[in-house]
Amino acid sequence: MRLAGKKIVLGLTGGVACYKIAELTRALGKAGADVQVVMTESATHFITPVTMQALSGNTVYTDQWDARVNNNMPHIDLTRDADAIVIAPCSTDFIFKLAHGACNDLLSTLCVARPAHLPLLIAPAMNVEMWQNPATQRNVQQIKADGIHLLGPAAGDQACGETGMGRMLEPEQLLTEIIASFQAKTLAGKHVLITAGPTFEPIDPVRGVTNLSSGKMGYAIAQAAWEAGAIVTLVSGPTALDAPHGVRRVDVQTAQQMFDAVVAQLKQHKQDVFVAVAAVADWRVANASTQKLKKTNEGDAPQLQFAQNPDILASVAAMPNAPYCVGFAAESENLLQYGAAKRQKKDVPLLVGNIGHHTFGKDENELVLFDVHGHTVLPRANKQALAQQLVAEIALRSSLI
Ligand code: C5P
């Protein structure tokens, strides 16, 4: 329930993307938000107030002169206890209205009358030519300068059959953006590099050695770092997960490829923080076959030889001007002893320990943070909540060095 206790005024303006807001309304409700829908007259041509009322569980307002509001001032009443206004979809015309402070319907009046501290987020949705039109772009620059926060738009196929910039973000992306808007920006503008998932070391073109890491913890940390305002690159081994919204993902298979990708990222841009969450194979198959291995009539099993992989974390930590390095340790026993020892061996300021075989693939975890002063426990919680706490700890600690 990441939006528990939040009241969101959800404004709909005219556009075919209105049909996606039914989904967003449900998702906001499931995340714990109280959703107050306000629609322009044009929006009601695309989706009915009845639908929006059923999904939000609240009376829908469309009219400045709605006699159901006791004092007849819906433009004041609806925003005074709100935590954010989200306009989705936001039309070209509504961006024009926001840029010029127009007050000619309930939604535009409500935006102008909102308290100065109340965040206003808009999700533009329009045809590519309308988005690129110089007048629209002038208005977009103006509303950005006025502190209005833009969610998207994205590029892609459009309902009109054309392709380009102007697609509204998908409902789950909008939900992520709205949740992120409430998070403290403790890593604002910082570059954070993360490894996650397992590695896959080939035996032959169709077989390989891997491990049970699902990538969930590393992906949750990437998401939490982005929510905290960081520019995040995720170097990921093979997982079944989608890249977190806002995060750039580089896909790799082997430990050597992961090492090369991390070094390439460090060369491309100075990184402030490096979090090594990946369960990297310590060994690769030295005599991997380029052709599929065949069973022999004699039943001989292939003889595999192993060679050591580079230690990515230790290598990065040893670089001159190294980023603030955070390691992970998945142990099956003696976590307190092994965790403290591993932090010293890898020579990193922070090492995060967990009982590995209990957490792989699960949604919950329990973490122990080892630093120079000793250890702290982050009690059992879901991986998103833990990732958020860990990112706050990293932000605090990395700003101290
Ligand atoms: O040595 P061990 O594998 O237990 O260390 C775990 C930590 O080191 C994790 O942070 C993991 O991502 C990192 N690691 C690495 N490269 C390796 C092995 C581990 O970056 N080859």
Side-chain angles (χ1 to χ4, degrees):
M1 300 287 262
R2 300 196 66 201
L3 292 173
K6 300 287 184 211
K7 179 173 172 183
I8 294 174
V9 174
L10 181 58
L12 281 76
T13 71
V16 70
C18 275
Y19 81 94
K20 294 187 177 180
I21 303 307
E23 195 87 18
L24 175 65
T25 307
R26 274 187 72 89
L28 288 168
K30 277 191 183 160
D34 178 17
V35 183
Q36 172 61 68
V37 175
V38 178
M39 301 172 74
T40 63
E41 210 264 322
S42 313
T44 65
H45 291 278
F46 293 94
I47 189 166
T48 70
V50 174
T51 302
M52 297 310 296
Q53 181 160 342
L55 293 173
S56 67
N58 284 319
T59 307
V60 170
Y61 292 94
T62 58
D63 184 6
Q64 175 70 40
W65 315 114
D66 193 324
R68 290 173 300 177
V69 180
N70 287 342
N71 61 4
N72 245 316
M73 295 191 208
H75 62 295
I76 307 291
D77 281 17
L78 293 175
T79 60
R80 288 308 178 259
D81 60 348
D83 296 291
I85 303 177
V86 179
I87 311 284
C90 188
S91 65
T92 323
D93 182 55
F94 204 78
I95 290 177
F96 164 83
K97 286 187 187 185
L98 289 172
H100 293 83
C103 295
N104 50 9
D105 59 16
L106 174 58
L107 190 57
S108 57
T109 310
L110 173 152
C111 287
V112 175
R114 77 188 188 280
H117 66 266
L118 183 62
L120 174 52
L121 290 71
I122 68 156
M126 64 196 71
N127 165 269
V128 52
E129 298 297 343
M130 293 172 88
W131 173 254
Q132 286 170 354
N133 187 286
T136 309
Q137 286 306 310
R138 267 199 310 278
N139 293 331
V140 166
Q141 290 316 315
Q142 183 60 55
I143 62 171
K144 278 189 186 170
D146 292 344
I148 294 174
H149 193 69
L150 263 80
L151 312 180
D157 292 343
Q158 304 201 313
C160 52
E162 296 183 359
T163 304
M165 203 66 174
R167 259 177 78 94
M168 191 179 72
L169 295 187
E170 295 301 328
E172 68 271 21
Q173 295 175 321
L174 290 175
L175 177 69
T176 308
E177 291 271 3
I178 294 165
I179 290 171
S181 75
F182 290 112
Q183 306 304 316
K185 301 296 171 204
T186 50
L187 287 174
K190 301 277 186 208
H191 285 259
V192 176
L193 181 61
I194 298 172
T195 64
T199 59
F200 180 91
E201 307 295 333
I203 294 172
D204 69 15
V206 295
R207 303 182 182 92
V209 181
T210 185
N211 60 64
L212 290 175
S213 169
S214 63
K216 283 182 184 170
M217 193 68 226
Y219 277 54
I221 293 168
Q223 171 96 57
W226 173 78
E227 287 177 7
I231 299 132
V232 183
T233 307
L234 178 63
V235 178
S236 175
T239 72
L241 304 172
D242 290 332
H245 174 65
V247 168
R248 198 165 65 87
R249 184 173 74 181
V250 179
D251 289 319
V252 296
Q253 277 213 320
T254 67
Q256 186 62 49
Q257 288 168 356
M258 189 172 271
F259 178 83
D260 293 343
V262 164
V263 171
Q265 293 303 317
L266 288 165
K267 275 195 188 143
Q268 216 173 73
H269 202 286
K270 181 179 161 26
Q271 300 292 323
D272 300 290
V273 177
F274 175 57
V275 193
V277 198
V280 186
D282 291 317
W283 303 281
R284 64 179 172 277
V285 181
N287 57 341
S289 169
T290 51
Q291 300 301 331
K292 187 181 170 191
L293 294 173
K294 292 286 181 201
K295 268 184 277 189
T296 61
N297 288 337
E298 297 76 42
D300 291 343
Q303 299 297 308
L304 299 183
Q305 282 148 25
F306 289 92
Q308 186 121 14
N309 274 327
D311 189 316
I312 306 168
L313 175 60
S315 311
V316 173
M319 288 175 178
N321 295 321
Y324 181 85
C325 286
V326 183
F328 265 70
E331 301 293 349
S332 58
E333 58 176 356
N334 295 337
L335 179 60
L336 293 188
Q337 190 193 334
Y338 291 162
K342 191 164 286 182
R343 188 190 76 79
Q344 287 191 335
K345 185 170 153 238
K346 304 258 178 182
D347 198 14
V348 292
L350 183 63
L351 187 117
V352 184
N354 56 46
I355 298 290
H357 62 296
H358 289 161
T359 175
F360 275 179
K362 301 269 163 47
D363 291 328
E364 284 198 343
N365 203 356
E366 180 183 318
L367 301 178
V368 186
L369 274 47
F370 297 91
D371 65 12
V372 70
H373 303 296
H375 71 268
T376 325
V377 175
L378 298 185
R380 180 159 289 282
N382 69 48
K383 288 182 176 175
Q384 274 79 24
L386 283 173
Q388 219 176 323
Q389 292 172 47
L390 180 61
V391 162
E393 292 278 350
I394 292 172
L396 188 69
R397 290 156 192 266
S398 59
S399 67
L400 296 179
I401 58 167

